[in-house]
Amino acid sequence: MDIVIIDNNDSFTRNLEHLIVVTTGARVTVRPVAELAGVDPARWDMVVISPGPGHPGEYPGYGRIIDSGVPVLGVCLGLQILNAHFGGETSRLPGCVHGKADVIDFAGRRFEVARYHSLHLSRVGQGLSVRAANADGVPMIVVHPERPLIGLQFHPESFLTADGGFFINHALAHCGLR
């Protein structure tokens, strides 16, 4: 399996690469967002849109990746980029949750997950479905039920997420890769 991570200039990208390699055994390539226009999604089994600073509106050019039919996993900013593509809105949280653990219920289990964000999905895009939210109702896992697209608001690669590999494997299964 060949996976490309588009790095949106985030310090977590190499940790995410490591988690994906350890969890899947995939060959993972990291490309900077500055090279996004040169990424041919058809060459990859999955495209991962990394976390990153700023607002999803500051990252144009992902539409052809998202609409390519190739599976896409978005993490944090990557989730927000997926949501914006489907007409959703991203707004500032009342507080900032950088480096804090939270709890979500998902797939019949309770997970501790790592949050590093000051923005959140204030309106979920058309056609997307929230699969997990925290106790305050902040969407934490969003999928497209009919397309191989999934986004995580939290960071599976953080040490604060107890079982990050579970979420990588779940993303692969959702996208039909496992």
Side-chain angles (χ1 to χ4, degrees):
M1 184 180 327
D2 289 310
I3 296 174
V4 62
I5 300 175
I6 307 300
D7 178 14
N8 292 308
N9 303 314
D10 194 82
S11 61
F12 281 104
T13 298
R14 292 298 177 174
N15 294 346
L16 185 57
E17 174 190 21
H18 177 76
L19 175 64
I20 293 170
V21 167
V22 168
T23 301
T24 68
R27 289 177 297 276
V28 178
T29 301
V30 177
R31 302 275 302 268
V33 69
E35 296 177 9
L36 178 62
V39 173
D40 176 6
R43 184 209 175 291
W44 307 97
D45 297 305
M46 174 178 262
V47 177
V48 177
I49 304 174
S50 87
H55 189 277
E58 299 168 27
Y59 295 85
Y62 277 106
R64 69 181 181 81
I65 302 285
I66 295 168
D67 288 335
S68 70
V70 171
V72 174
L73 165 64
V75 176
C76 201
L77 173 69
L79 161 69
Q80 296 166 4
I81 289 171
L82 284 172
N83 188 56
H85 180 73
F86 289 96
E89 292 181 5
T90 299
S91 301
R92 186 160 298 283
L93 281 169
C96 188
V97 285
H98 284 254
K100 296 182 180 175
D102 201 350
V103 174
I104 62 170
D105 292 320
F106 179 67
R109 292 176 52 190
R110 178 158 283 207
F111 292 93
E112 193 164 278
V113 297
R115 295 175 65 192
Y116 295 88
H117 60 114
S118 56
L119 303 176
H120 76 293
L121 305 189
S122 53
R123 184 170 53 85
V124 176
Q126 188 158 2
L128 297 177
S129 175
V130 176
R131 294 293 167 88
N134 74 355
D136 295 326
V138 175
M140 289 290 164
I141 300 175
V142 174
V143 304
H144 193 292
E146 298 160 7
R147 295 172 55 182
L149 305 171
I150 183 169
L152 310 174
Q153 181 60 75
F154 56 89
H155 286 242
E157 74 283 2
S158 170
F159 74 97
L160 292 173
T161 299
D163 192 359
F166 174 87
F167 297 102
I168 298 301
N169 281 321
H170 180 81
L172 294 177
H174 172 77
C175 293
L177 296 172
R178 287 242 161 134

